[in-house]
Amino acid sequence: LMKQCVESQDTKKDKGGGGGTTTTFSYTVEWSDHFVDDSKFHKDLLWKQACGVPNSWPDNFPTSKTFYADSAIVGPYTVSKPFVQKIPLTAPVKASAPNGWSETKTTTSGGGSFMEYSLEAVKTKNNPNRIGDYKVSFWTSDKSHPTMTVLGLNKNGQVTPWVSGKSWLCSGGTVYDLMYGKESKDDVFSVKMDEASAMTVILRILGFLLIWFACSRFMEPLGVLADCIPCIGPWLGDQIEAIACCISCFPACACSLGVIGVVYVAMRPLIGIPMLLIFVGTMAAGVLFKMNSSKNAEARQPDGYYGQEMAVN
């Protein structure tokens, strides 16, 4: 890690109407695992006042990286790199600090500790924040947990990820895992099924939220228009946007059920068909509501005013 000047921004809606926004930029000195290009900062004078000197990153100073072996031995089996990458790196490595570097024992929130090796930049009048300080720590796998369970395809002692074949509406997938401890086959597959189910639910929720957001944008111009009203404009615009958000939830739910139902009709018809019926019913209800609203608007027009101009004697 290296100390860098970092830019952050905060965007807020303007008061007084008009639908505009104001963005405020601020600058702080933080530890970073990569170079921060200060030439892209928005407020040149402000970041120089806050940080003092430009950011630097020597060519010979590495960024944070993780290195894994191409293979590892687990009992009588040899596992490939994808399995090795699943081994968590949670054990700190004790090393000797190079000349000029200092050692610091840092305690984690969980009560553990690790050594950090740091090299301070030269503190000058123009660099009071020590931009350019180095801080390095090393981590490896925990040797206190030597027992592991591997899930994969075994070919003569070489364990690789297993790839399933293609089937109806499924392109196939890759299954493999490595975990600490001794687990039974049933427990391993139970965990994988729970993970798959959780991912499915998360994707469905994210899809619904995206559709809901898209539907709510249709009435966004009404909120912007209300913002232009003096005094109460911002408040009125916020209320319209809140109402639009609530109303758009219904078509968003219907669209989500429609998308899920199309797939489920082939996979699980007893679930997919009711979903499609709800989608079609909701859309039909929206069309009927629109048609009735138009008819009621026509009925409320006085005779002679709708569809023609009145003659004036």
Side-chain angles (χ1 to χ4, degrees):
L1 302 178
M2 183 182 293
K3 279 189 177 181
Q4 301 278 279
C5 184
V6 179
E7 179 185 70
S8 58
Q9 63 183 56
D10 181 29
T11 301
K12 294 183 179 179
K13 193 174 182 180
D14 291 341
K15 296 181 179 180
T21 58
T22 299
T23 301
T24 303
F25 296 94
S26 58
Y27 301 89
T28 55
V29 177
E30 302 176 5
W31 290 105
S32 176
D33 61 357
H34 63 278
F35 173 66
V36 179
D37 189 358
D38 50 55
S39 66
K40 297 181 180 180
F41 289 167
H42 292 80
K43 302 294 182 180
D44 188 68
L45 181 60
L46 190 59
W47 79 258
K48 290 181 179 179
Q49 291 176 344
C51 301
V53 298
N55 290 329
S56 62
W57 197 281
D59 294 336
N60 60 350
F61 188 78
T63 57
S64 294
K65 293 183 180 180
T66 304
F67 297 92
Y68 293 97
D70 293 330
S71 62
I73 297 176
V74 180
Y77 305 101
T78 300
V79 297
S80 55
K81 192 170 185 177
F83 294 91
V84 180
Q85 292 174 333
K86 283 186 168 289
I87 301 176
L89 307 178
T90 58
V93 176
K94 181 67 173 68
S96 299
N99 293 332
W101 291 61
S102 60
E103 295 184 5
T104 304
K105 186 175 183 180
T106 302
T107 303
T108 64
S109 57
S113 62
F114 64 96
M115 299 301 297
E116 288 184 328
Y117 308 93
S118 58
L119 178 65
E120 293 185 347
V122 178
K123 184 176 181 180
T124 64
K125 182 178 181 180
N126 296 327
N127 188 18
N129 297 311
R130 289 193 179 279
I131 292 178
D133 278 12
Y134 303 159
K135 184 168 66 173
V136 180
S137 57
F138 302 94
W139 300 83
T140 187
S141 57
D142 190 352
K143 301 300 190 298
S144 63
H145 297 86
T147 304
M148 297 182 180
T149 300
V150 177
L151 172 65
L153 178 63
N154 178 25
K155 291 184 178 180
N156 300 322
Q158 300 287 331
V159 182
T160 57
W162 175 73
V163 181
S164 64
K166 296 181 180 180
S167 61
W168 173 246
L169 291 180
C170 293
S171 60
T174 303
V175 179
Y176 69 97
D177 205 354
L178 184 148
M179 57 190 71
Y180 280 136
K182 184 178 181 180
E183 303 289 344
S184 66
K185 180 177 67 176
D186 292 338
D187 290 340
V188 171
F189 279 99
S190 177
V191 170
K192 301 301 290 185
M193 291 180 64
D194 290 341
E195 291 176 354
S197 299
M199 180 58 66
T200 301
V201 173
I202 292 173
L203 292 176
R204 287 174 180 168
I205 293 175
L206 288 177
F208 164 71
L209 293 177
L210 288 174
I211 296 175
W212 189 3
F213 175 78
C215 291
S216 68
R217 296 303 91 189
F218 287 122
M219 289 181 278
E220 176 69 14
L222 296 177
V224 176
L225 184 63
D227 284 342
C228 299
I229 300 175
C231 299
I232 64 171
W235 176 84
L236 187 60
D238 291 341
Q239 305 310 308
I240 292 176
E241 291 176 359
I243 294 173
C245 182
C246 295
I247 294 175
S248 61
C249 180
F250 296 100
C253 288
C255 291
S256 298
L257 292 177
V259 174
I260 299 173
V262 167
V263 178
Y264 265 36
V265 163
M267 304 291 290
R268 299 178 181 177
L270 294 179
I271 299 177
I273 292 175
M275 287 183 173
L276 284 180
L277 292 176
I278 294 174
F279 167 71
V280 174
T282 304
M283 295 297 103
V287 173
L288 291 175
F289 176 79
K290 176 61 177 176
M291 295 174 61
N292 289 333
S293 298
S294 300
K295 291 181 179 179
N296 293 334
E298 294 177 9
R300 287 194 295 269
Q301 292 290 341
D303 293 341
Y305 277 91
Y306 184 78
Q308 61 182 353
E309 294 184 359
M310 288 190 64
V312 179
N313 296 325

